[in-house]
Short mmCIF file of all heavy atoms in Angstrom, two decimals:
data_model
loop_
_atom_site.label_atom_id
_atom_site.label_comp_id
_atom_site.label_asym_id
_atom_site.label_seq_id
_atom_site.Cartn_x
_atom_site.Cartn_y
_atom_site.Cartn_z
N TRP A 146 -16.89 -12.43 23.47
CA TRP A 146 -17.95 -12.10 22.67
C TRP A 146 -19.22 -12.06 23.57
O TRP A 146 -19.24 -12.97 24.48
CB TRP A 146 -18.05 -12.94 21.50
CG TRP A 146 -17.98 -14.42 21.85
CD1 TRP A 146 -18.91 -15.14 22.30
CD2 TRP A 146 -16.86 -15.27 21.64
NE1 TRP A 146 -18.47 -16.50 22.44
CE2 TRP A 146 -17.22 -16.51 22.02
CE3 TRP A 146 -15.54 -15.08 21.22
CZ2 TRP A 146 -16.38 -17.70 22.12
CZ3 TRP A 146 -14.58 -16.16 21.33
CH2 TRP A 146 -14.97 -17.46 21.67
N ALA A 147 -20.20 -11.44 23.15
CA ALA A 147 -21.54 -11.60 23.97
C ALA A 147 -22.08 -12.97 23.42
O ALA A 147 -22.48 -13.65 24.27
CB ALA A 147 -22.33 -10.43 23.60
N THR A 148 -22.15 -13.12 22.12
CA THR A 148 -22.58 -14.43 21.60
C THR A 148 -21.79 -14.60 20.23
O THR A 148 -21.69 -13.58 19.49
CB THR A 148 -24.11 -14.54 21.39
OG1 THR A 148 -24.43 -15.75 20.91
CG2 THR A 148 -24.59 -13.41 20.50
N LEU A 149 -21.32 -15.73 19.93
CA LEU A 149 -20.62 -16.06 18.74
C LEU A 149 -21.48 -16.28 17.63
O LEU A 149 -22.47 -17.13 17.76
CB LEU A 149 -19.53 -17.06 19.09
CG LEU A 149 -18.38 -17.20 18.13
CD1 LEU A 149 -17.63 -16.02 18.12
CD2 LEU A 149 -17.50 -18.41 18.53
N GLY A 150 -21.07 -16.01 16.41
CA GLY A 150 -21.79 -16.38 15.18
C GLY A 150 -22.69 -15.31 14.71
O GLY A 150 -23.41 -15.47 13.69
N ALA A 151 -22.61 -14.12 15.22
CA ALA A 151 -23.50 -13.04 14.87
C ALA A 151 -22.59 -11.82 14.63
O ALA A 151 -21.75 -11.76 13.63
CB ALA A 151 -24.51 -12.67 15.78
N SER A 152 -22.61 -10.81 15.56
CA SER A 152 -21.59 -9.70 15.42
C SER A 152 -20.20 -9.99 15.49
O SER A 152 -19.41 -9.25 14.86
CB SER A 152 -22.02 -8.68 16.47
OG SER A 152 -21.81 -9.14 17.78
N ASN A 153 -19.78 -11.16 16.15
CA ASN A 153 -18.54 -11.62 16.09
C ASN A 153 -18.54 -13.00 15.62
O ASN A 153 -19.48 -13.88 15.89
CB ASN A 153 -18.05 -11.67 17.52
CG ASN A 153 -17.56 -10.20 18.02
OD1 ASN A 153 -18.12 -9.78 18.89
ND2 ASN A 153 -16.49 -9.75 17.42
N SER A 154 -17.52 -13.41 14.90
CA SER A 154 -17.42 -14.81 14.39
C SER A 154 -15.98 -15.20 14.25
O SER A 154 -15.11 -14.37 14.37
CB SER A 154 -18.10 -14.97 13.03
OG SER A 154 -18.23 -16.30 12.66
N ILE A 155 -15.84 -16.55 13.96
CA ILE A 155 -14.43 -17.08 13.64
C ILE A 155 -14.52 -17.80 12.24
O ILE A 155 -15.47 -18.57 11.91
CB ILE A 155 -14.02 -18.14 14.74
CG1 ILE A 155 -13.78 -17.32 15.99
CG2 ILE A 155 -12.83 -18.78 14.21
CD1 ILE A 155 -13.75 -18.34 17.19
N VAL A 156 -13.57 -17.48 11.38
CA VAL A 156 -13.45 -17.98 10.16
C VAL A 156 -12.16 -18.64 9.93
O VAL A 156 -11.18 -18.11 10.08
CB VAL A 156 -13.68 -16.93 8.97
CG1 VAL A 156 -13.56 -17.56 7.57
CG2 VAL A 156 -15.05 -16.34 9.12
N ILE A 157 -12.13 -19.98 9.49
CA ILE A 157 -10.95 -20.69 9.25
C ILE A 157 -10.84 -21.04 7.71
O ILE A 157 -11.74 -21.79 7.17
CB ILE A 157 -10.88 -21.92 10.04
CG1 ILE A 157 -11.02 -21.68 11.60
CG2 ILE A 157 -9.61 -22.78 9.78
CD1 ILE A 157 -10.97 -22.87 12.47
N GLU A 158 -9.87 -20.60 6.98
CA GLU A 158 -9.65 -20.90 5.65
C GLU A 158 -8.60 -21.96 5.51
O GLU A 158 -7.57 -21.88 5.93
CB GLU A 158 -9.08 -19.62 4.86
CG GLU A 158 -10.18 -18.47 4.88
CD GLU A 158 -9.72 -17.30 4.03
OE1 GLU A 158 -8.47 -17.50 3.56
OE2 GLU A 158 -10.44 -16.47 3.85
N VAL A 159 -9.18 -23.19 4.98
CA VAL A 159 -8.39 -24.36 4.93
C VAL A 159 -7.97 -24.78 3.35
O VAL A 159 -8.94 -24.77 2.51
CB VAL A 159 -9.19 -25.56 5.54
CG1 VAL A 159 -8.45 -26.83 5.47
CG2 VAL A 159 -9.65 -25.35 6.90
N GLU A 160 -6.82 -24.97 3.21
CA GLU A 160 -6.38 -25.34 1.83
C GLU A 160 -5.92 -26.81 1.85
O GLU A 160 -4.85 -27.22 2.47
CB GLU A 160 -5.10 -24.48 1.43
CG GLU A 160 -5.41 -23.05 1.17
CD GLU A 160 -6.18 -22.88 -0.19
OE1 GLU A 160 -6.25 -23.77 -0.93
OE2 GLU A 160 -6.87 -21.74 -0.36
N THR A 161 -6.70 -27.74 1.29
CA THR A 161 -6.47 -29.08 1.25
C THR A 161 -6.04 -29.58 -0.03
O THR A 161 -6.27 -28.81 -1.06
CB THR A 161 -7.71 -29.87 1.57
OG1 THR A 161 -8.74 -29.95 0.58
CG2 THR A 161 -8.51 -29.37 2.84
N PRO A 162 -5.51 -30.75 -0.20
CA PRO A 162 -5.29 -31.27 -1.64
C PRO A 162 -6.50 -31.24 -2.58
O PRO A 162 -6.43 -31.31 -3.85
CB PRO A 162 -4.66 -32.69 -1.33
CG PRO A 162 -4.28 -32.65 0.09
CD PRO A 162 -5.11 -31.80 0.78
N GLN A 163 -7.58 -31.40 -1.92
CA GLN A 163 -8.90 -31.55 -2.63
C GLN A 163 -9.37 -30.03 -3.14
O GLN A 163 -10.32 -29.87 -3.94
CB GLN A 163 -9.96 -32.13 -1.89
CG GLN A 163 -9.73 -33.56 -1.55
CD GLN A 163 -8.78 -33.62 -0.34
OE1 GLN A 163 -7.62 -34.40 -0.64
NE2 GLN A 163 -9.15 -33.21 0.90
N GLY A 164 -8.88 -28.96 -2.48
CA GLY A 164 -9.18 -27.62 -2.75
C GLY A 164 -9.61 -26.92 -1.55
O GLY A 164 -9.37 -27.34 -0.45
N PRO A 165 -9.91 -25.58 -1.65
CA PRO A 165 -10.09 -24.75 -0.60
C PRO A 165 -11.46 -24.88 0.10
O PRO A 165 -12.51 -25.27 -0.50
CB PRO A 165 -10.08 -23.33 -1.00
CG PRO A 165 -10.48 -23.48 -2.57
CD PRO A 165 -9.97 -24.88 -2.87
N TYR A 166 -11.54 -24.77 1.55
CA TYR A 166 -12.82 -24.87 2.35
C TYR A 166 -12.74 -23.82 3.30
O TYR A 166 -11.75 -23.29 3.77
CB TYR A 166 -12.82 -26.21 3.02
CG TYR A 166 -13.11 -27.42 2.06
CD1 TYR A 166 -12.03 -28.03 1.45
CD2 TYR A 166 -14.31 -28.03 1.97
CE1 TYR A 166 -12.21 -29.20 0.60
CE2 TYR A 166 -14.65 -29.11 1.07
CZ TYR A 166 -13.50 -29.55 0.50
OH TYR A 166 -13.68 -30.77 -0.42
N ASP A 167 -13.96 -23.33 3.58
CA ASP A 167 -14.14 -22.39 4.77
C ASP A 167 -14.92 -22.86 5.87
O ASP A 167 -15.94 -23.53 5.72
CB ASP A 167 -14.82 -21.09 4.22
CG ASP A 167 -14.06 -20.15 3.27
OD1 ASP A 167 -12.82 -20.37 3.25
OD2 ASP A 167 -14.69 -19.50 2.50
N VAL A 168 -14.34 -22.76 7.08
CA VAL A 168 -15.03 -23.29 8.27
C VAL A 168 -15.46 -21.97 8.99
O VAL A 168 -14.69 -21.05 9.24
CB VAL A 168 -14.02 -23.90 9.24
CG1 VAL A 168 -14.80 -24.29 10.54
CG2 VAL A 168 -13.45 -25.25 8.55
N VAL A 169 -16.76 -21.79 9.23
CA VAL A 169 -17.41 -20.46 9.76
C VAL A 169 -18.28 -20.88 10.83
O VAL A 169 -19.04 -21.78 10.81
CB VAL A 169 -18.20 -19.93 8.45
CG1 VAL A 169 -18.78 -18.60 9.08
CG2 VAL A 169 -17.33 -19.74 7.33
N VAL A 170 -18.21 -20.02 11.88
CA VAL A 170 -19.14 -20.14 13.01
C VAL A 170 -20.42 -19.11 12.77
O VAL A 170 -20.17 -17.99 12.52
CB VAL A 170 -18.54 -19.68 14.35
CG1 VAL A 170 -19.50 -19.69 15.54
CG2 VAL A 170 -17.40 -20.57 14.70
N GLN A 171 -21.57 -19.69 12.74
CA GLN A 171 -22.74 -18.97 12.46
C GLN A 171 -23.94 -19.34 13.34
O GLN A 171 -23.96 -20.48 13.83
CB GLN A 171 -23.14 -19.18 10.94
CG GLN A 171 -22.36 -18.73 9.88
CD GLN A 171 -22.88 -18.77 8.60
OE1 GLN A 171 -23.91 -19.33 8.34
NE2 GLN A 171 -22.22 -18.32 7.58
N LYS A 172 -24.81 -18.34 13.62
CA LYS A 172 -26.06 -18.74 14.20
C LYS A 172 -26.92 -19.38 13.09
O LYS A 172 -26.86 -19.06 11.91
CB LYS A 172 -26.76 -17.45 14.76
CG LYS A 172 -26.16 -16.78 15.91
CD LYS A 172 -26.16 -17.65 17.16
CE LYS A 172 -25.49 -16.86 18.29
NZ LYS A 172 -25.17 -17.80 19.39
N TYR A 173 -27.69 -20.32 13.49
CA TYR A 173 -28.66 -20.99 12.59
C TYR A 173 -29.62 -19.79 12.16
O TYR A 173 -30.35 -19.20 12.83
CB TYR A 173 -29.41 -22.06 13.15
CG TYR A 173 -30.35 -22.77 12.21
CD1 TYR A 173 -29.94 -23.65 11.27
CD2 TYR A 173 -31.74 -22.51 12.33
CE1 TYR A 173 -30.72 -24.28 10.40
CE2 TYR A 173 -32.49 -23.07 11.44
CZ TYR A 173 -32.13 -23.96 10.38
OH TYR A 173 -33.01 -24.64 9.62
N ASP A 174 -29.91 -19.89 10.83
CA ASP A 174 -30.74 -18.84 10.26
C ASP A 174 -31.51 -19.56 9.05
O ASP A 174 -30.94 -20.12 8.21
CB ASP A 174 -29.92 -17.74 9.74
CG ASP A 174 -30.81 -16.47 9.29
OD1 ASP A 174 -31.92 -16.68 8.80
OD2 ASP A 174 -30.23 -15.33 9.41
N ASP A 175 -32.87 -19.44 9.22
CA ASP A 175 -33.70 -20.17 8.17
C ASP A 175 -34.05 -19.15 7.02
O ASP A 175 -35.00 -19.45 6.18
CB ASP A 175 -34.91 -20.73 8.82
CG ASP A 175 -35.73 -19.96 9.50
OD1 ASP A 175 -35.60 -18.64 9.49
OD2 ASP A 175 -36.84 -20.33 10.17
N GLY A 176 -33.56 -17.94 7.03
CA GLY A 176 -33.94 -16.96 6.10
C GLY A 176 -34.93 -16.07 6.60
O GLY A 176 -35.17 -14.95 5.98
N ILE A 177 -35.58 -16.39 7.76
CA ILE A 177 -36.58 -15.50 8.28
C ILE A 177 -36.12 -15.07 9.68
O ILE A 177 -36.22 -13.91 9.92
CB ILE A 177 -37.98 -16.36 8.39
CG1 ILE A 177 -38.44 -16.76 7.02
CG2 ILE A 177 -39.09 -15.32 9.06
CD1 ILE A 177 -39.70 -17.49 7.00
N ASP A 178 -35.72 -16.02 10.44
CA ASP A 178 -35.30 -15.70 11.83
C ASP A 178 -33.90 -16.36 12.07
O ASP A 178 -33.60 -17.27 11.42
CB ASP A 178 -36.26 -16.19 12.96
CG ASP A 178 -37.63 -15.51 12.85
OD1 ASP A 178 -37.60 -14.26 12.93
OD2 ASP A 178 -38.60 -16.25 12.76
N SER A 179 -33.18 -15.65 13.09
CA SER A 179 -31.95 -16.33 13.54
C SER A 179 -32.24 -16.91 14.96
O SER A 179 -33.09 -16.36 15.77
CB SER A 179 -30.85 -15.22 13.70
OG SER A 179 -29.81 -15.72 14.16
N TYR A 180 -31.65 -18.03 15.30
CA TYR A 180 -31.90 -18.85 16.38
C TYR A 180 -30.72 -18.96 17.41
O TYR A 180 -29.65 -18.61 17.00
CB TYR A 180 -32.38 -20.20 16.00
CG TYR A 180 -33.69 -20.15 15.15
CD1 TYR A 180 -33.54 -20.16 13.91
CD2 TYR A 180 -35.02 -20.13 15.72
CE1 TYR A 180 -34.73 -20.16 12.95
CE2 TYR A 180 -36.09 -20.24 15.04
CZ TYR A 180 -35.99 -20.11 13.57
OH TYR A 180 -37.06 -20.19 12.85
N ASP A 181 -31.21 -19.24 18.61
CA ASP A 181 -30.14 -19.41 19.65
C ASP A 181 -29.49 -20.81 19.44
O ASP A 181 -29.51 -21.69 20.34
CB ASP A 181 -30.76 -19.34 21.08
CG ASP A 181 -31.31 -17.94 21.28
OD1 ASP A 181 -30.76 -16.97 20.82
OD2 ASP A 181 -32.26 -17.82 22.05
N LEU A 182 -28.80 -20.90 18.41
CA LEU A 182 -28.10 -22.24 18.11
C LEU A 182 -26.83 -21.88 17.20
O LEU A 182 -26.90 -21.42 16.05
CB LEU A 182 -29.09 -23.07 17.26
CG LEU A 182 -28.61 -24.38 16.65
CD1 LEU A 182 -28.28 -25.28 17.96
CD2 LEU A 182 -29.65 -25.12 15.82
N THR A 183 -25.64 -22.05 17.87
CA THR A 183 -24.39 -21.64 17.31
C THR A 183 -23.77 -22.88 16.63
O THR A 183 -23.60 -23.88 17.17
CB THR A 183 -23.48 -21.13 18.38
OG1 THR A 183 -24.04 -20.06 19.12
CG2 THR A 183 -22.24 -20.48 17.65
N LEU A 184 -23.56 -22.86 15.33
CA LEU A 184 -23.13 -23.93 14.57
C LEU A 184 -21.79 -23.66 13.92
O LEU A 184 -21.30 -22.50 13.68
CB LEU A 184 -24.09 -24.22 13.38
CG LEU A 184 -25.54 -24.54 13.76
CD1 LEU A 184 -26.36 -24.70 12.60
CD2 LEU A 184 -25.48 -25.82 14.78
#
Side-chain angles (χ1 to χ4, degrees):
W146 52 77
T148 180
L149 195 60
S152 59
N153 285 110
S154 185
I155 295 168
V156 177
I157 303 175
E158 295 183 353
V159 181
E160 291 289 341
T161 76
Q163 300 75 244
Y166 290 80
D167 287 338
V168 179
V169 184
V170 178
Q171 292 183 359
K172 294 297 184 189
Y173 180 80
D174 191 325
D175 61 7
I177 300 175
D178 290 311
S179 181
Y180 296 91
D181 296 328
L182 180 60
T183 310
L184 301 174

